[in-house]
Amino acid sequence: MNPLNHVAIIMDGNGRWGLKNKNARNAGHKAGLNTVEKIIKVTIKNNIKFLTLYAFSTENWKRPKKEIKFLFNLLEDFLINKIEDLNKQKIKLKIIGKKNFSSKLNSLLKESEKKTIKNKRLQINLALNYGSKVELIDAFKEIKKNKEIINEKNLSKYLQTKNIPDPDLLIRTGNTKRLSNFLLWQLAYSEIFFEKKLWPDFSEKDYNKIINKYKNIKRNFGNI
Ligand code: FPP
């Protein structure tokens, strides 16, 4: 059975769920947040140590201002109401991506990271304003600036995911098969599962089913 240390998730399908069920995309984001809370619990139950969630990409800025505002308000409320609870559960929150939001959200994110920094039960990496291409370009720039040689070790240390092991498993919900500029370097040897259900409909049972399938895969890492 494969060990499972790190799960990464592209939480796709909120907008479609919202339109279908409540005639409003944003209702899907709200429902999606309930799934986030549920999936955190199941991740802990499975004793998985890292969970990386793609919440907002560098490309998502193209969306209507109203939707972006709704998403960030949702995140603000979540942090204000839930960070104590996450801390009590010994969850560490880490933001990957550039924190260039409103000063209120930037400080909330920084405070939340600081408050939970010592926690060891589960590390949640929340990808916000994250894009893999920008991350890689920035890392190469750092190598050049510091006149270092280009190798895996040096590159990895300048990535947003420094000190985080690569994901073992990537799940994308929402019936779409693409990576959307997410962890392109880090997913080099991850097992990938595309799930038909929209993120708000993704259940504990669906998650456990994927975990069990993953555990029984023969992972070769290029060997035979
Ligand atoms: C993708 O679905 C989802 C997002 C861009 C946002 C993810 C946000 C959440 C799950 C809720 C908020 C989370 C936190 C941590 C506050 P989409 O909108 O692209 O769906 P579509 O493909 O149906 O349009």
Side-chain angles (χ1 to χ4, degrees), residues 44-117:
I44 290 177
K45 267 198 217 164
N46 278 283
N47 204 21
I48 295 161
K49 293 294 171 194
F50 296 88
L51 175 67
T52 302
L53 300 173
Y54 205 9
F56 195 85
S57 73
T58 44
E59 288 74 31
N60 286 150
W61 293 107
K62 294 176 198 156
R63 293 190 177 203
K65 278 206 178 78
K66 234 174 122 185
E67 180 166 337
I68 296 177
K69 194 162 181 277
F70 185 89
L71 272 169
F72 292 153
N73 283 342
L74 201 63
L75 177 60
E76 273 181 22
D77 289 349
F78 176 76
L79 291 174
I80 292 168
N81 296 317
K82 301 284 165 142
I83 197 67
E84 274 310 330
D85 184 43
L86 296 183
N87 195 29
K88 274 199 197 118
Q89 293 185 66
K90 299 277 168 272
I91 294 172
K92 173 176 173 177
L93 184 70
K94 157 120 183 106
I95 307 303
I96 60 168
K98 285 188 190 163
K99 290 189 202 80
N100 62 353
F101 311 104
S102 67
S103 51
K104 184 182 174 200
L105 182 54
N106 283 343
S107 13
L108 253 174
L109 292 168
K110 278 184 208 153
E111 276 168 33
S112 305
E113 285 185 300
K114 203 169 149 203
K115 192 186 268 277
T116 60
I117 197 159

Side-chain angles (χ1 to χ4, degrees), residues 93 150 216:
L93 184 70
I150 297 175
N216 289 300

